[in-house]
Amino acid sequence: MKKTYLTFALLLASASMMAQTVYTNAELSSTSDVIGTARYVGMGGALGALGADISAIGSNPAAIGMYRRSDIALTAGGMWQKDRAYQERNTGRGTFDQMGFVAAFRIDHPKVNFVNFSFNYQKKYNFGGAYYADNARLGGLSQADQFASLANAYYNEESSPYTLYGAAYDAYLYERDNQGFYNPYSAQRNRYSYYTGGSVQAFDINFSTNISDRYYVGLTIGANNVDYDRFTSYTEERDGSDGSIQDYTIDTDQRISGYGINLKAGTIIRPIEDNPFRVGLTVETPTWYNLKSSAIWDIWSKQYYDAETKQDMYLPDGYYKHSSPDDNYLEYNLRTPWRARVSMGSTIDRYFAWGLEYEYANYGKNHVTYPSGGYEPSWYDPYWDTFSSVKDVELNKQNKQVLKGQHTVKLGFEFNATDNLAIRMGYNYVSSMFKDGARLTQHINSYAMDYVSETGYMNLSDVNLITCGLGYRFKRFYIDMAYRFRQQSGKYYAFDDSFTQDDEIFITDNPNLAGATLQPVDVNLNRHTITCTMGIKF
């Protein structure tokens, strides 16, 4: 098989080989976890109406208005999961979850009792996790089929060396003839390892007030920091025409970093005077993120082009590494959906408290643009906005096709066994943000699709989250502990299989695979966390 040699110098001219997809953005905008003080975690985060906890700054800003004393709190802990990607061992890591203070000021006013100010650092979502997916039920389909299909649709000599499917062609993962690009091999099995680290961290400033001990209002100004790391390794084995196994591996190391801003406004009302029952309402604006994605990748294959001999070479006992440049990046903007929360709660004397909270957010409203200053308008003329940014119309349309509204229900209880000891329990149900039967396709006219260096994706299930905790008070000091079990699974797809229906070359060459679908791998994403908070109220 003779190929045109593409020099490494050409690769250095590339702008990026890794970018965002609908699934990556869904992960970055997710809030399907309970992280914060151990009291907040122990009660499942259901404090939107009960208030008086510093971590409620993110769920209902009016919760800070219920403070009558100043508060300083610090929270840390550890998390672990069963991790098949690391030799069946339990993996664990420490996590610093929260640090903040509330300054409560009593006001000499007939109506306004307190005006409070608060600052809090708190993780919103922890990306830490890993899994391994092994699939021996490919039915003859191959990731290289997808590469060939993308090349048939979009290949050109100038741009394709900088795309993943172009790099795969350079690595001899598929071939070309007069009819187009094709993959001559059927796959036996694939293996996929996935590891993520980092988090979304929120830095919140809050202003709140207490009016007549019946009405509480608050405003939170939030700044989020994104620190996301992901390493993936995909290996595929397929039958060679001579009976040998033709395998290859694609390793990708990605990092996404950036920042975002949002606002939250909330209120808590006691509708009945002299009754502790209260209701809460919060509206949260979208978070406007400015993000930068960068990655390096390597394709390990048995064939390569030798520039000195000008011949195609084959390594029967080894692999040749086809590498990306080191400075790949793509800058983009992500706007997350609006969120609305309603809550209620009450107490019975000083011995028992309960809280219930509901949240809705439609992730189909995730919206992607690109900074207009960084790109020439010629590549996307119909949607060019000279005053702000370039809209990725097709990717935003795919958001609506893949993602949907998410419902979150939080329930929490606290029982004061003694004047010093509190016992807590909580439960969360979070519906999946993915539509039934959602599938990712890279055959869309999106700028981002030319730059992805990974084909896999996962549809996540609903989340069930169970918490419990203990709290001990001694004069002004307190220490709380909480345990959190987060149960979730996913269905992992190694690549987009739409070529079995849309690519005429593939269907002509493989009539027995026309309309075939890739079977997913079920993945366990269960996670355990222990949290400890130390604080002082004065």
Side-chain angles (χ1 to χ4, degrees):
M1 178 174 61
K2 181 66 177 177
K3 296 195 174 186
T4 302
Y5 178 60
L6 300 171
T7 66
F8 189 71
L10 283 175
L11 283 174
L12 287 174
S14 134
S16 169
M17 288 301 294
M18 187 67 186
Q20 35 83 23
T21 67
V22 168
Y23 284 79
T24 303
N25 291 336
E27 189 173 9
L28 294 176
S29 57
S30 174
T31 57
S32 60
D33 208 347
V34 175
I35 304 176
T37 66
R39 178 173 181 257
Y40 182 82
V41 173
M43 295 185 67
L47 293 170
L50 290 174
D53 188 279
I54 193 169
S55 283
I57 192 174
S59 59
N60 189 345
I64 306 301
M66 302 195 75
Y67 271 92
R68 291 177 171 82
R69 290 189 295 169
S70 298
D71 186 12
I72 299 175
L74 183 148
T75 305
M79 57 178 291
W80 70 97
Q81 70 175 106
K82 187 70 173 179
D83 176 14
R84 289 185 59 200
Y86 289 84
Q87 303 175 348
E88 298 289 343
R89 294 179 296 177
N90 285 324
T91 59
R93 69 195 72 188
T95 174
F96 180 65
D97 290 340
Q98 179 274 329
M99 179 177 64
F101 70 88
V102 176
F105 301 97
R106 183 181 292 276
I107 303 298
D108 186 14
H109 188 278
K111 294 292 185 181
V112 180
N113 297 343
F114 283 87
V115 173
N116 297 340
F117 169 78
S118 177
F119 172 81
N120 191 45
Y121 157 84
Q122 183 167 297
K123 285 185 178 177
K124 295 187 65 175
Y125 192 79
N126 200 324
F127 296 120
Y131 63 85
Y132 177 80
D134 186 340
N135 193 352
R137 301 176 294 117
L138 300 179
L141 300 180
S142 169
Q143 182 192 55
D145 292 324
Q146 181 189 359
F147 291 148
S149 179
L150 289 169
N152 284 327
Y154 304 116
Y155 186 90
N156 66 72
E157 295 290 346
E158 293 183 359
S159 65
S160 290
Y162 314 135
T163 64
L164 178 59
Y165 61 82
Y169 179 64
D170 265 6
Y172 294 78
L173 303 191
Y174 60 96
E175 300 182 9
R176 184 181 191 179
D177 61 16
N178 293 333
Q179 301 300 317
F181 297 91
Y182 68 98
N183 167 35
Y185 309 118
S186 61
Q188 284 187 321
R189 64 181 294 169
N190 60 29
R191 299 184 299 276
Y192 182 77
S193 295
Y194 174 98
Y195 174 86
T196 53
S199 61
V200 176
Q201 309 118 39
F203 298 84
D204 290 329
I205 298 175
N206 174 272
F207 303 91
S208 54
T209 187
N210 173 338
I211 303 172
S212 302
D213 287 330
R214 287 190 63 186
Y215 308 99
Y216 308 85
V217 292
L219 177 69
T220 295
I221 303 170
N224 293 352
N225 181 67
V226 175
D227 179 19
Y228 177 88
D229 293 289
R230 177 170 66 187
F231 173 79
T232 63
S233 181
Y234 177 87
T235 299
E236 185 173 291
E237 296 178 354
R238 48 199 182 139
D239 296 325
S241 57
D242 58 356
S244 62
I245 299 296
Q246 304 291 320
D247 60 333
Y248 66 87
T249 297
I250 301 178
D251 294 334
T252 301
D253 193 354
Q254 181 191 14
R255 175 178 172 81
I256 299 177
S257 60
Y259 59 89
I261 57 173
N262 60 59
L263 293 174
K264 309 175 190 72
T267 183
I268 297 174
I269 299 172
R270 287 198 300 114
I272 305 172
E273 191 173 2
D274 299 326
N275 189 307
F277 177 75
R278 62 204 76 168
V279 294
L281 174 64
T282 306
V283 176
E284 180 177 337
T285 70
T287 300
W288 289 272
Y289 282 113
N290 177 265
L291 301 170
K292 178 180 177 180
S293 173
S294 60
I296 55 175
W297 51 266
D298 297 305
I299 300 179
W300 302 82
S301 66
K302 290 183 173 295
Q303 291 179 278
Y304 70 100
Y305 182 83
D306 191 310
E308 295 183 1
T309 63
K310 298 182 179 180
Q311 292 182 343
D312 296 334
M313 306 297 291
Y314 178 78
L315 302 175
D317 300 320
Y319 299 89
Y320 183 83
K321 183 171 71 171
H322 305 260
S323 297
S324 69
D326 294 331
D327 58 350
N328 302 322
Y329 71 92
L330 177 70
E331 187 175 354
Y332 68 102
N333 303 317
L334 171 64
R335 188 186 71 210
T336 67
W338 286 82
R339 305 177 193 276
R341 304 181 188 95
V342 293
S343 54
M344 63 179 67
S346 188
T347 60
I348 300 176
D349 295 326
R350 299 181 59 186
Y351 301 105
F352 184 76
W354 64 270
L356 178 65
E357 185 171 318
Y358 169 78
E359 176 185 306
Y360 178 77
N362 185 355
Y363 287 92
K365 298 294 186 179
N366 273 356
H367 188 80
V368 173
T369 61
Y370 305 98
S372 59
Y375 306 95
E376 294 296 329
S378 57
W379 67 264
Y380 223 51
D381 281 330
Y383 309 113
W384 182 254
D385 183 345
T386 57
F387 296 99
S388 56
S389 58
V390 184
K391 300 177 182 178
D392 196 327
V393 174
E394 293 300 317
L395 188 64
N396 294 330
K397 184 185 299 183
Q398 190 177 77
N399 273 321
K400 297 178 181 179
Q401 296 169 345
V402 172
L403 304 177
K404 64 179 181 179
Q406 185 176 74
H407 306 272
T408 301
V409 178
K410 299 180 179 180
L411 179 64
F413 303 96
E414 182 178 57
F415 173 67
N416 291 322
T418 69
D419 290 341
N420 302 102
L421 180 65
I423 301 171
R424 305 175 182 117
M425 294 179 293
Y427 171 75
N428 283 193
Y429 168 78
V430 185
S431 67
S432 174
M433 66 174 67
F434 297 96
K435 292 184 177 180
D436 294 340
R439 305 296 284 261
L440 176 68
T441 176
Q442 295 184 18
H443 285 274
I444 62 174
N445 186 23
S446 166
Y447 185 67
M449 292 301 101
D450 289 338
Y451 293 89
V452 294
S453 63
E454 187 176 335
T455 62
Y457 63 97
M458 180 181 293
N459 289 335
L460 297 174
S461 71
D462 300 345
V463 175
N464 289 280
L465 197 147
I466 300 172
T467 67
C468 60
L470 296 173
Y472 184 78
R473 301 290 186 269
F474 180 73
K475 296 182 179 180
R476 296 181 176 180
F477 298 93
Y478 61 90
I479 182 169
D480 297 321
M481 298 287 293
Y483 165 77
R484 178 173 76 248
F485 171 64
R486 186 178 185 275
Q487 182 273 326
Q488 188 178 38
S489 61
K491 291 187 178 297
Y492 169 75
Y493 296 84
F495 48 84
D496 166 24
D497 60 11
S498 61
F499 56 84
T500 66
Q501 302 176 38
D502 303 331
D503 191 324
E504 294 182 1
I505 296 177
F506 175 83
I507 294 172
T508 300
D509 291 342
N510 304 274
N512 59 316
L513 294 177
T517 57
L518 179 66
Q519 297 302 307
V521 178
D522 293 326
V523 177
N524 186 328
L525 300 172
N526 294 348
R527 183 188 298 173
H528 308 265
T529 306
I530 292 179
T531 300
C532 177
T533 297
M534 293 183 291
I536 179 172
K537 291 186 177 181
F538 54 94

